[in-house]
Amino acid sequence: MDGLRAFGANYTEFTRRFATWLGLHSTDAGALVEILYAEDQGTPLSPARLSERVSLSSGATAILLKRLEQAGHIVRTRESTDRRVVTLRSSPGIRPRAIAFFGPYSERMTEAMAAYSPQEIQHFEKFLGTLRTTMDALLAHEYEGDGPTPPTR
């Protein structure tokens, strides 16, 4: 668990440095990374889904998106047959910058993962999926709101 925590902390540090590199607040850069990642996965985000991913209220997310849009980092599109649905896309100019920043990261991660067989990676992905499901359930139930009930003295 300590290794996963340390990996998460390092990933957060990469995002913080990306923010500094772009001259953004770390929350804005984190949202931009989520938008880029979702596009890479073929599942672009809506503002509501981004709000969940970055743990912000819908109002705070709207303000964040306005800043990213004004900076020229994202565009909002209406791609659904339901024209009320907004899709978040990275702007054409930001992807080359993200690739320039995260390129060494991606290359080294690919090299590190190449040391493991596809079966080992599959087992690890299953393990991570189980951990995520467990954490999602905890957050939805025992840690709903402000957390578990504190012990009484």
Side-chain angles (χ1 to χ4, degrees), residues 9 14 16-17 26 35 42 45 48 52 55-56 74-75 80 85 88 92-93 118 122 124 132 135 139 142:
F14 273 99
R16 187 197 66 75
R17 291 185 189 192
S26 60
I35 292 166
L45 298 174
E52 293 171 3
S55 300
L56 291 176
I74 66 156
V75 292
S80 172
V85 176
L88 302 173
Q122 189 175 32
F124 186 64
R132 181 174 182 187
M135 290 175 76
L139 289 170
E142 288 90 337

Side-chain angles (χ1 to χ4, degrees), residues 47-61:
R49 184 70 181 119
L50 176 65
S51 180
E52 293 171 3
R53 299 278 295 262
V54 296
S55 300
L56 291 176
S57 68
S58 59
T61 300

Side-chain angles (χ1 to χ4, degrees), residues 45-105:
L45 298 174
S46 66
R49 184 70 181 119
L50 176 65
S51 180
E52 293 171 3
R53 299 278 295 262
V54 296
S55 300
L56 291 176
S57 68
S58 59
T61 300
I63 293 167
L64 176 149
L65 290 173
K66 185 175 180 181
R67 285 193 305 265
L68 289 175
E69 196 169 39
Q70 288 175 339
H73 297 318
I74 66 156
V75 292
R76 300 178 215 214
T77 62
R78 298 191 187 277
E79 302 170 13
S80 172
T81 54
D82 181 346
R83 302 304 290 166
R84 296 171 296 175
V85 176
V86 173
T87 301
L88 302 173
R89 295 277 182 185
S90 61
S91 66
I94 196 62
R95 184 158 294 278
R97 295 176 77 190
I99 291 169
F101 184 87
F102 285 106
Y105 173 89

Side-chain angles (χ1 to χ4, degrees), residues 4-6 15 19-21 23 25 33 47 52 60 105-106 111 147 149 152:
L4 290 173
R5 185 207 53 77
T15 303
T20 300
W21 193 68
H25 185 277
V33 166
E52 293 171 3
Y105 173 89
S106 296
E111 288 171 13
T149 305
T152 55

